Amino acid sequence: MPSRPVAINLPDVIVVGCGAGGAVVAKELAEAGLGVVVLEAGLWHDPAIDFNGLEWDMTNGIDSVFRWGPSDRTKPPWPRIREGLASIPHAAGVGGTTLLSGCNSPRAYPEAVNREWPIPYAELVPYYRRVEAALPVAVADVVTRKDELFIRGCEGSSLPFVAGPDVVGAGWRMQPNAILPVARVAEPLQYPATDGCTQCGECRVGCRHPAGAPLERTAKRSTNASYAPLATATGRCEIRTGCFSTSVITEQTRDGLRARGVRYRDGRGHVLEQDCRVVVLAGGAIESPRLWFASGLPAVPAAGRYLTTHWFEYVSGEFDRPVDISAGQTSMVRAEFPGLGHVETAGLRPLDFALSSFAGRSGVRGGGPWASRGGLIGNALKRKMDAYERSMTLVAGVDDDALAHNGVGLSSETSDENNPAPIIRYRPNAATEARREVLVRKAAEILLAAGARPETVHRADALPSGAHVHGTLRMGSDPGSSVLDDACEAHLVKRLFAADTSVFPNSLGGANPQLTAQALASRTAEKVVERYFG
Amino acid sequence: MPSAGETLRALADTVVPGPPDDPSPGAAAIEAEHFLVHYLEFVEPGLTERVCALLDRLASDRRIDVGFASLARGDRESILREMAEHDLQERRDIASLLTALSIAAVYGEWSGQDAEGNVVRRPLGWELSGWTGPRPGVRSLMRPVSD
Ligand SMILES: Cc1cc2nc3c(=O)[nH]c(=O)nc-3n(C[C@H](O)[C@H](O)[C@H](O)COP(=O)(O)OP(=O)(O)OC[C@H]3O[C@@H](n4cnc5c(N)ncnc54)[C@H](O)[C@@H]3O)c2cc1C
């Protein structure tokens, strides 16, 4: 990978990171005629060779294919110091964390954007449309049993159907997924006879189906298979893999500080410098602020702050008949609760099911329509796992408040070969906790109305995790409370932009972040061209 | 004091028990302690020894001169829970790492893999949970030949 490598020696733009946002901004800039170099810390995997569909091997945080760490899997992962977060499952590699993601791709809740963003929701809509068409994003026409049960549960708890994509009221709807349309049954179950999603259930362990498909026709539209190939196909974008950016190079000019290049360490450990006219940070909401600090960029008050995570909760229950929750796309239906967050189905394999559904210990108290809660080990865990094939788990993602005390800083004690390690702190406030309680209750009610046996409904009590991270270099009009302006260019460092989830001023109201990061990245590409290459 | 292997065997058995405490096979049946040692050492060389020393110390706080491996199941469970709720993040992290590794040894693919990582037999956790393993697609959930 890639099939058509190009070398760009004097790039107009360097993009740091090729995940959800980085691949989009790179493709748009290259299509606009600019020379683009993407520096990506990880590899560009070949799904047919590198993905094996095994949960531990693909996704564990220690030595898996998708861990956050050096490409050489015999070396330890890159350290991250967590305070208040149970885990941070991010992937290095072309595709970034979209490699792990379910690619559920809803838009943000309009109310949340209009509440706190420097641009109105309406301004995002054309960019949403553009990305939805390019990926593409669609709802599936054949749903799994877990999703049928979820619909039954929503209807049974009097939740109306709501039409997307711009959601203003509570209700359920089909999940918009960045996954190719469901394929027709064909023999053999192989490309080209089979073209599209085979509902194999491997979204979260790396999509490699249909078997034999070229990268661009693997079903899930993680950016390794969608935007990154589109970017290199322009002939104006080079993706340098195994290249870890260690600092943004700046210079002082009459107009103030401006970015002029990037220092990075390549796969052989050589430290190199690359000049350019514009730098776009897209390393994600932990690595982008880490790079900001490691580069000695201005210590503006909002830098590294206002981290949000959707503080997920998992509610599970057992049914009388098989559910087969590992089949099909991760989630094909969702319930929207603007002002609170969302609830969706979660297609889980046994290990993920055990770890997410029963490994809680948040310490939050309070009763609800669940029979048990918290971490389960021993015989209780084994009985839950005996019922795996008859069980279903729902995930609730809360609209958590963006708070100044939550965020990313640099450790003075721990580092890796690249930079000081990031310290990530997250402590939700009482308002977030209260919203989460209402949302989790709704999830349990849906599960019960779907037919889950009441005595089996279990609430995980999950600690916050870093699967969804946003904020830390937020955009805004006030340099006192934001790092970037409304074009996602740094207030105090000209020619430095960001195009990942770090730019979000809030948690989108609890909606899954990928599509919004991509829509905004597509808008940011336009702003880069307008401001510096027009 | 017992060996690290025994201590981690008892630990994994606390998380995923087998006979006589549970009717179906658990972590001990697949010698999950090897998986734990491998990953603890991978995370940080010497961590196995530190973790086992900690578990034994917490055990002897309960019953003088008794190692973790000799404690009754209930006591082992309470030690793990106390670690998981400890004020120190480091202690909580160790508890969650030990629990996750024990669960992963059983419910992940490891117990079915050969030395090269190929799945050559059905892993215990797939057997226990009834999961049939990775599949290239689910025909009943694909679109009919013509619609
Ligand atoms: C299990 C799981 C399931 C998820 N499911 C969904 C879902 O269904 N829908 C959804 O909307 N979201 C989902 N998410 C979240 C989503 O994947 C992320 O929000 C999204 O990928 C973040 O995009 P990003 O561009 O900010 O960062 P990333 O996608 O993480 O990309 C960052 C990239 O930058 C690279 N990088 C970082 N630092 C450097 C550096 N210094 N030098 C060079 N390269 C660097 C990284 O290697 C990586 O490739 C899920 C996340 C997880 C963990």
Side-chain angles (χ1 to χ4, degrees), chain A residues 11-17 21-22 25-26 29 34-39 244-251 257-264 273-283 287-288 291-292 295 297 473 484-485 487-500 502-503 521 524-525 527-529 531-533:
Chain A
D12 297 305
V13 181
I14 294 178
V15 178
V16 176
V25 82
L29 290 171
L34 304 187
V36 180
V37 163
V38 183
L39 298 172
F244 201 105
S245 307
T246 51
S247 63
V248 176
I249 306 168
T250 53
E251 65 188 4
L257 201 60
R258 77 166 200 208
R260 67 156 186 84
V262 174
R263 191 168 295 117
Y264 67 98
E273 283 188 11
Q274 177 73 64
D275 290 339
C276 61
R277 294 168 68 194
V278 164
V279 175
V280 182
L281 302 181
E287 294 305 314
S288 287
L291 191 54
W292 179 282
S295 308
L297 297 178
L473 292 181
L484 312 170
D485 66 14
C488 291
E489 182 177 14
H491 291 296
L492 294 186
V493 191
K494 293 299 138 203
R495 296 175 180 269
L496 179 64
F497 290 76
D500 53 24
S502 71
V503 311
T524 300
K527 301 291 175 192
V528 168
V529 174
R531 287 192 178 178
Y532 295 108
F533 302 95

Side-chain angles (χ1 to χ4, degrees), chain A residues 14 28 30 46 53 84 98 100 119 122 132 173 231-232 244 282 325 334 339-340 368 372 383 438 441 503 506-507:
Chain A
I14 294 178
E28 297 296 349
D46 181 343
T98 70
L100 285 167
I119 54 172
E132 285 161 347
R173 65 178 177 128
T232 52
F244 201 105
I325 49 165
R334 58 190 287 117
L340 294 173
S372 56
R383 296 297 78 76
V438 181
R441 190 176 281 270
V503 311
N506 63 11
S507 73

Side-chain angles (χ1 to χ4, degrees), chain A residues 53-57 60 62-63 67 73-77 82-85 141-144 182-187 189 194 197-200 202 208-209 324 326-328 349-351 354-355 361 375 377-379 381-383 385-386 388-389, chain B residues 14-18 21-26 35 38-39 42-43 73 77 80-81 84 89 92-93 96-97 99-101 103-104 107-109 113 117 119 125-126 128-132 134-147:
Chain A
L54 299 175
E55 282 193 273
W56 179 259
D57 201 38
N60 80 71
I62 306 172
D63 70 347
R67 68 174 181 163
R73 289 170 64 195
T74 63
K75 299 209 168 119
R82 296 172 277 109
E83 290 179 11
L85 288 168
D141 43 11
V142 191
V143 299
T144 67
V182 173
R184 286 180 197 283
V185 176
E187 293 302 337
L189 211 55
T194 301
C197 174
T198 62
Q199 303 260 40
C200 65
E202 290 193 359
R208 57 182 172 142
H209 288 126
D324 194 6
S326 73
R349 292 166 164 224
L351 178 55
L355 293 177
R361 55 186 161 80
I377 56 171
N379 307 92
L381 174 66
K382 286 203 63 189
R383 296 297 78 76
M385 293 307 294
D386 288 348
Y388 166 74
E389 283 292 344
Chain B
T14 312
V15 180
V16 191
D21 295 334
D22 194 88
S24 57
F35 183 84
H38 171 80
Y39 278 105
F42 192 93
V43 169
R73 150 165 310 280
E77 279 197 10
L80 206 49
R81 281 191 202 287
Q89 167 108 22
R92 295 197 301 270
D93 284 348
S96 86
L97 179 62
T99 308
L101 288 175
I103 291 175
Y107 292 104
E109 62 273 7
Q113 285 174 305
V119 177
W126 299 6
L128 293 173
S129 63
W131 191 53
T132 47
R135 39 194 166 174
V138 180
R139 285 187 169 78
S140 61
L141 293 174
M142 290 169 64
R143 285 158 59 216
V145 179
S146 59
D147 57 5

Side-chain angles (χ1 to χ4, degrees), chain A residues 24 126-137 227 515 518-519 522:
Chain A
V24 173
Y127 301 99
Y128 275 132
R129 289 203 185 113
R130 187 177 166 85
V131 176
E132 285 161 347
L135 279 166
V137 174
Y227 271 92
L515 184 78
Q518 297 180 312
S522 153

Side-chain angles (χ1 to χ4, degrees), chain A residues 1-2 18-19 39-47 50-51 64-73 78 91-97 99 215 223-224 228 239-244 266-268:
Chain A
M1 301 287 151
C18 199
L39 298 172
E40 167 50 50
L43 302 176
W44 197 344
H45 298 289
D46 181 343
D50 303 325
F51 299 177
S64 72
V65 176
F66 292 160
R67 68 174 181 163
W68 176 243
S71 309
D72 178 352
R73 289 170 64 195
W78 288 316
V94 172
T97 309
L99 292 164
L215 176 69
T223 54
N224 63 316
I239 300 179
R240 294 186 195 159
T241 56
C243 291
F244 201 105
D266 75 6
R268 286 170 301 168

Side-chain angles (χ1 to χ4, degrees), chain A residues 15-23 38-43 59 67-69 78 80 88-106 175-178 203-205 220 223 240 242-247 262-265 281-288 290-291 310 312 314 330-331 334 342 344 352 418-419 465-470 499-504 508 511-518 521:
Chain A
V15 178
V16 176
C18 199
V38 183
L39 298 172
E40 167 50 50
L43 302 176
T59 66
R67 68 174 181 163
W68 176 243
W78 288 316
R80 282 176 163 176
I88 306 181
H90 290 179
V94 172
T97 309
T98 70
L99 292 164
L100 285 167
S101 127
C103 276
N104 312 140
S105 296
Q175 179 80 269
N177 281 333
C203 308
R204 282 168 66 152
V205 296
K220 192 181 82 166
T223 54
R240 294 186 195 159
C243 291
F244 201 105
S245 307
T246 51
S247 63
V262 174
R263 191 168 295 117
Y264 67 98
R265 174 187 285 271
L281 302 181
I286 292 173
E287 294 305 314
S288 287
R290 180 187 182 206
L291 191 54
H310 292 159
F312 291 115
Y314 302 86
T330 307
S331 171
R334 58 190 287 117
H342 82 279
E344 63 187 17
D352 212 0
N418 301 307
N419 271 321
S465 95
H468 289 190
V469 284
H470 342 93
D500 53 24
T501 58
S502 71
V503 311
F504 295 177
L508 314 181
N512 319 50
Q514 207 166 290
L515 184 78
T516 300
Q518 297 180 312

